[in-house]
Amino acid sequence: MSLQEMLNDAEARPLLLSVDAENFLKGTLRTEQETQGYVRPWRMSDRQYRSLGSVGAWHPGFYRQVAQCTCGIALAFTTDATRIGLEVRFDEEPLATRTMLRETDGESPQPPDGISCIVDGKRLVCAPAQAGEQFVEWYIDNDPKHPTWQRLPGFGPTHTVWLWLPCLRGCAVRRLWGTATFFKPLKQQDLLLVVGDEASQGFGGEEPADGWPVAYATHNHLDLVNQSIARQVFQSDFLLDTAGLRDPAMIVVAVGEQYRKEAYSTERLRQDGRQFFGVVQRRWPGAQTLLIVPHTAGNENYPVAPRSPFPKLESIYHSVAREFGVRCIEGRQLVDPHVGVQQGIEEYPNAEGFSQIARRLALVVQPREDQAVLRQRAKKLLRQVPDYAFPLKAATKIERAQWLFVKKGACLAKFSSGLQMLYAPDHEQGQDVAALFSNRRALAVQGEAMKEWVSTELGLTHAQPYHVAIYKGKRKISVPERYHIETLPAATLDELLKRYPNMDTSTVDDLDTQNEVGTFFGGFVCDKLVGFIGTHEEGCIGSLEVMPAYRRRGWAFALEATLVNHLIDKGIEPWCPVYPESTATLRLLSKLGFEITPATQECYLCTRD
């Protein structure tokens, strides 16, 4: 029997518990009493609502319509019910929403929206929004052992329930019903305040719970107040009076897409941003504040308007952020280009894109850790990695390696040469880490899937697969006594270049670093330098050079063996990367006893520049 049927049944109705829905609202600053006992929740104060209709607002009539949407508002509670139901009165879809979703050749279809139901972290079917009074209900007691059983009130487990109200229209609520003995409001948590435009409001998602503010707040155990307004820009008076809003622990500002579409003074934009963050700083000096910078590349469906400040927006945002101690995050780092949905001439992230934004924001705001702590964690996590990921394991023994991210799902290190190495057993986290922390110039990754993603999403289209050769064990290699090899003194780069002007450029680039770390060996015949070898900054063997007149005399073997023995004495496992076309090097390494991985697993990617 459904909850609706129980309500209409004289014998079953007394088994139901009914409470005022208003007592379980989250994400509101105020409520208004309406007819027939309904209560309308508002996500902004009365003065904020009036400011959206002031002369200082860009589109006052439009803003006030969108402000009535219940974006980010939820009913949150625990209950022992098996079924729950809500009396709700949905508004008509605002003209502003229809305008945002209108197709280029006519009216858009009814947008997906309604009430999302999340029970114990699992999402149930969204109740669609249709104008007028409705009774929406869900069966929330999923017992996999006894799927056909229906428990009596009071005999079920306690569930945590979130009912997220529509994000593209408004509504009013009245009574919450259930086959329960109790409904209990959830405790207050630290508050996240979001001030954004259409993407932050939820355009592009299929239901309210898809929005990135909801996903971020849920996974980080935060309460949410979402004051995002489609087409919103910096409006300093909007935050002057936020009566009913408690102090937020975190503020995310994500406005600016509208600047692409309209003419506006660049200096006015800078002034508006300074005034806006001046208010934020005075009101909430202790809040962690982030500013998301819209991707400033032109959109072929909606190009930048004449006299728009959008081309200079990125530099303005960063300048204002520095002035007020706000952290700037590039929008292009938070969501991949392919995870978008086209709505007429507008383009927004889709549900997958919103999930990406939430995940990546969580990575961005995590506390910075000391390099020593990160290196120790990397040593533990990378102890048993496959051979193709050995280069990153070797980096844990190098003081010069800087660790940008170290978690179980992904590890990223960088070197002063510009090279970065990524090991990502969790491909999703690896993609997030690469998007956020890589320099987007040179990156070593493993696996075909990661290679394709880096090439497509980060624009590193020049791919060079390579082998990883590793000398395992402690057995030293015998070097004939006829080869005179010794550690080279700290010769200057100018001296070496003068003596060997035809030296390979990549070798030249490493000479200074190798001399500094003391792993640069030279071979001599009658005090004449005939060849040398060293280790790159990444800890791998490289820069093997034998002068033409002394090649095919065993010098390459002797130099390589000497360096291997030296590294073994230092407790370092020798290794080197080798490109497939370097057949002579591969033969030499095999002769020396190196184990070599296939070139299908590790790949170096960079820009063609």
Side-chain angles (χ1 to χ4, degrees):
M1 181 181 291
S2 70
L3 213 59
Q4 182 71 69
E5 291 171 335
M6 294 179 73
L7 281 170
N8 297 330
D9 186 290
E11 294 183 359
R13 188 181 179 97
L15 297 175
L16 302 179
L17 177 65
S18 173
V19 293
D20 287 330
E22 180 181 11
N23 297 329
F24 304 90
L25 287 169
K26 278 183 176 286
T28 63
L29 273 66
R30 60 191 176 99
T31 57
E32 285 183 358
Q33 296 295 323
E34 295 189 350
T35 60
Q36 299 176 310
Y38 281 94
V39 173
R40 177 170 296 276
W42 285 88
R43 56 194 172 106
M44 54 193 66
S45 68
D46 180 63
R47 181 169 176 182
Q48 284 182 289
Y49 181 66
R50 284 188 279 116
S51 75
L52 293 173
S54 69
V55 293
W58 274 29
H59 303 285
F62 183 95
Y63 290 164
R64 295 188 71 166
Q65 288 184 44
V66 178
Q68 296 178 42
C69 299
T70 45
C71 165
I73 297 177
L75 280 73
F77 52 88
T78 56
T79 181
D80 59 355
T82 58
R83 293 182 181 275
I84 58 171
L86 176 67
E87 295 175 343
V88 58
R89 186 160 63 196
F90 293 110
D91 297 347
E92 291 280 354
E93 178 187 278
L95 175 61
T97 294
R98 295 199 299 273
T99 300
M100 291 296 297
L101 297 177
R102 184 176 298 133
E103 301 291 342
T104 55
D105 57 350
E107 293 294 319
S108 68
Q110 181 78 11
D113 201 10
I115 299 180
S116 296
C117 179
I118 300 177
V119 179
D120 301 328
K122 297 180 180 178
R123 196 182 299 192
L124 303 187
V125 176
C126 177
Q130 295 180 351
E133 293 186 36
Q134 288 189 45
F135 184 81
V136 294
E137 62 176 283
W138 296 268
Y139 178 68
I140 67 171
D141 189 27
N142 183 20
D143 183 355
K145 292 184 178 180
H146 309 99
T148 61
W149 290 12
Q150 294 195 26
R151 308 181 205 266
L152 293 172
F155 287 86
T158 298
H159 299 289
T160 300
V161 182
W162 288 81
L163 300 179
W164 292 96
L165 302 184
C167 57
L168 304 184
R169 69 174 74 204
C171 72
V173 296
R174 186 164 61 186
R175 304 286 292 177
L176 183 63
W177 293 82
T179 53
T181 61
F182 72 89
F183 286 100
K184 184 179 179 181
L186 293 187
K187 292 182 180 179
Q188 183 173 286
Q189 306 174 109
D190 284 344
L191 181 65
L192 165 66
L193 172 63
V194 178
V195 182
D197 50 27
E198 50 266 31
S200 301
Q201 184 184 333
F203 283 90
E206 296 181 2
E207 58 176 284
D210 283 341
W212 72 259
V214 171
Y216 183 87
T218 299
H219 291 123
N220 293 280
H221 309 291
L222 298 169
D223 285 339
L224 170 67
V225 170
N226 190 349
Q227 296 193 332
S228 299
I229 301 291
R231 297 185 178 177
Q232 182 61 298
V233 294
F234 288 127
Q235 187 176 334
S236 58
D237 63 344
F238 179 65
L239 294 177
L240 287 175
D241 185 352
T242 55
L245 177 70
R246 55 190 172 92
D247 289 347
M250 180 177 177
I251 303 170
V252 179
V253 180
V255 299
E257 188 62 31
Q258 192 63 25
Y259 291 117
R260 180 201 302 270
K261 306 167 187 176
E262 301 187 43
Y264 198 61
S265 163
T266 300
E267 284 308 309
R268 285 287 301 276
L269 169 56
R270 189 187 307 275
Q271 181 181 346
D272 291 347
R274 296 182 71 251
Q275 290 177 344
F276 181 90
F277 283 104
V279 173
V280 170
Q281 190 177 71
R282 290 193 300 273
R283 299 277 330 265
W284 304 293
Q288 181 182 21
T289 306
L290 291 84
L291 172 61
I292 298 178
V293 183
H295 189 16
T296 52
N299 184 318
E300 61 181 10
N301 296 302
Y302 214 130
V304 176
R307 299 188 305 281
S308 163
F310 201 72
K312 297 183 179 179
L313 183 140
E314 186 173 336
S315 63
I316 293 173
Y317 273 39
H318 281 280
S319 172
V320 172
R322 284 193 299 271
E323 180 179 352
F324 291 93
V326 173
R327 186 168 183 179
C328 255
I329 306 171
E330 302 294 335
R332 65 187 176 91
Q333 295 178 284
L334 295 178
V335 60
D336 297 339
H338 77 276
V339 287
V341 58
Q342 193 73 31
Q343 295 277 6
I345 55 178
E346 303 285 355
E347 187 172 359
Y348 318 112
N350 57 16
E352 181 187 354
F354 287 139
S355 179
Q356 267 190 2
I357 293 172
R359 289 197 318 268
R360 293 179 183 180
L361 267 181
L363 296 180
V364 167
V365 302
Q366 64 182 0
R368 287 188 171 91
E369 296 180 281
D370 183 76
Q371 281 295 306
V373 173
L374 291 172
R375 183 175 291 108
Q376 279 301 117
R377 187 188 305 149
K379 286 181 179 179
K380 292 179 181 179
L381 292 176
L382 298 171
R383 190 171 296 155
Q384 301 296 327
V385 295
D387 284 350
Y388 61 76
F390 183 85
L392 207 57
K393 175 183 176 181
T396 62
K397 298 182 180 181
I398 301 172
E399 292 294 326
R400 289 169 178 250
Q402 182 180 356
W403 294 91
L404 303 180
F405 188 89
V406 182
K407 297 289 184 184
K408 186 176 181 180
C411 294
L412 177 68
K414 79 169 185 177
F415 302 87
S416 60
S417 63
L419 175 65
Q420 296 184 327
M421 294 183 186
L422 173 67
Y423 172 60
D426 181 336
H427 279 200
E428 183 178 85
Q429 188 169 85
Q431 292 170 5
D432 292 343
V433 169
L436 290 169
F437 305 117
S438 75
N439 56 23
R440 298 177 181 242
R441 293 193 300 274
L443 184 64
V445 300
Q446 302 90 34
E448 187 66 25
M450 185 61 74
K451 184 191 84 170
E452 289 299 323
W453 181 89
V454 169
S455 179
T456 302
E457 304 298 346
L458 301 188
L460 304 184
T461 55
H462 184 64
Q464 177 63 69
Y466 61 89
H467 303 275
V468 176
I470 309 169
Y471 189 85
K472 299 183 178 181
K474 304 295 184 181
R475 183 182 61 83
K476 290 188 177 181
I477 304 171
S478 176
V479 181
E481 292 184 0
R482 67 176 180 273
Y483 295 104
H484 178 202
I485 299 173
E486 60 184 50
T487 303
L488 287 179
T492 66
L493 180 59
D494 288 341
E495 290 173 341
L496 287 169
L497 287 175
K498 187 182 296 184
R499 293 176 66 182
Y500 306 106
N502 297 322
M503 191 184 301
D504 180 77
T505 304
S506 62
T507 301
V508 172
D509 292 340
D510 288 317
L511 293 181
D512 277 344
T513 300
Q514 291 166 10
N515 272 314
E516 290 175 16
V517 299
T519 52
F520 197 34
F521 288 85
F524 293 86
V525 173
C526 299
D527 295 328
K528 177 182 179 181
L529 182 67
V530 298
F532 48 82
I533 193 172
T535 55
H536 292 279
E537 183 190 13
E538 298 83 22
C540 61
I541 296 173
S543 301
L544 175 61
E545 183 84 13
V546 177
M547 304 311 150
Y550 293 87
R551 291 174 185 171
R552 299 185 181 277
R553 299 185 185 184
W555 277 106
F557 182 97
L559 287 164
E560 192 99 32
T562 300
L563 183 52
V564 166
N565 295 341
H566 170 78
L567 293 173
I568 290 174
D569 287 339
K570 294 180 67 176
I572 298 173
E573 203 165 1
W575 73 279
C576 64
V578 188
Y579 294 131
E581 59 269 23
S582 301
T583 54
T585 302
L586 289 169
R587 286 196 301 270
L588 172 63
L589 293 171
S590 295
K591 184 178 179 181
L592 287 162
F594 280 73
E595 295 184 19
I596 303 173
T597 67
T600 56
Q601 296 172 319
E602 187 83 4
C603 188
Y604 170 77
L605 297 109
C606 63
T607 61
R608 290 197 175 273
D609 297 335

